[in-house]
Amino acid sequence: QYDAGQAGRERGDRRSAAIVPLDELARPGRPVPDASVDRTASVSGTYDVARQVTVPGRVLDLTMGAYVVTPLMTSTGSTLLVVRGWVADGAQVEDPPRAVELTGTIRPYEDSSDATLGLSAPYAPGELPYLGPEPVQGAIPIDTARTYGGFLALESQDPTTTGAPRPVPLDVLARHSGVGIWQHFSYWAQWWVFA
């Protein structure tokens, strides 16, 4: 219980830390360090719309839809996967401007347990069961040595566009217990008494 409460505090600390350039928090070809998860980073580059994919089966405000994932070719020549946001099923996805400056939350790749429709569902070309390295590699071959080992959940983009996907709140993208440190301590004390 203490560990869970401490993890919640650490996440809050990372979320409130100053925005820094992406390369201060992560490196291409490596998994996102634990200390960088949920940090807010800035990065500039060019969207590769031709390799855009979606992750269906994602719910926002009780509506079924999909995450829109667009590779960004950064100004340093690396590739970063960007979750540009969420769109409802059947909605048209407008192309973003090519050259952009972004701010967003750093997240590690998902794994197969995040495949909300299941791994055996019939996925169309350009659809991923979850946002992980294996499905990405199968849909849009990437140079893993030059690609960040996680993704950026978009918070703001310059220039902005109308009709863009809705940003996905972090608590939807990566749910986390809202129980506070004192409640966790209370649970720990109760279990100690019971023991």
Side-chain angles (χ1 to χ4, degrees):
Q1 288 296 331
Y2 175 80
D3 289 343
Q6 191 67 18
R9 271 173 84 180
E10 290 172 0
R11 184 184 206 183
D13 291 344
R14 291 193 300 269
R15 292 293 296 150
S16 61
I19 300 172
V20 297
L22 176 66
D23 282 337
E24 291 186 20
L25 300 172
R27 291 276 185 262
R30 301 179 191 170
V32 173
D34 290 345
S36 297
V37 172
D38 297 336
R39 286 287 306 271
T40 305
S42 60
V43 62
S44 61
T46 304
Y47 278 130
D48 185 353
V49 180
R51 295 196 295 164
Q52 181 168 276
V53 293
T54 59
V55 185
R58 301 305 170 102
V59 176
L60 185 62
D61 294 338
L62 304 179
T63 303
M64 186 67 78
Y67 293 163
V68 178
V69 183
T70 311
L72 181 82
M73 309 308 293
T74 72
S75 55
T76 60
S78 302
T79 302
L80 171 68
L81 298 178
V82 178
V83 174
R84 291 177 44 222
W86 174 95
V87 293
D89 282 349
Q92 292 287 79
V93 180
E94 294 185 17
D95 288 346
R98 286 182 58 78
V100 289
E101 294 183 5
L102 309 179
T103 300
T105 303
I106 300 173
R107 291 293 304 160
Y109 278 129
E110 295 182 330
D111 61 36
S112 59
S113 68
D114 293 303
T116 53
L117 298 182
L119 297 176
S120 60
Y123 294 96
E127 291 183 342
L128 309 180
Y130 61 96
L131 187 47
E134 294 84 5
V136 169
Q137 190 67 30
I140 48 170
I142 54 176
D143 180 355
T144 54
R146 297 181 62 82
T147 302
Y148 290 88
F151 61 92
L152 188 81
L154 184 64
E155 295 178 6
S156 66
Q157 171 184 294
D158 184 28
T160 59
T161 56
T162 58
R166 288 176 56 188
V168 183
L170 180 59
D171 287 342
V172 173
L173 188 69
R175 295 191 181 280
H176 190 77
S177 171
V179 177
I181 186 68
W182 292 111
Q183 190 166 353
H184 284 292
F185 185 76
S186 167
Y187 292 153
W188 173 84
Q190 289 172 29
W191 280 110
W192 186 84
V193 170
F194 293 154

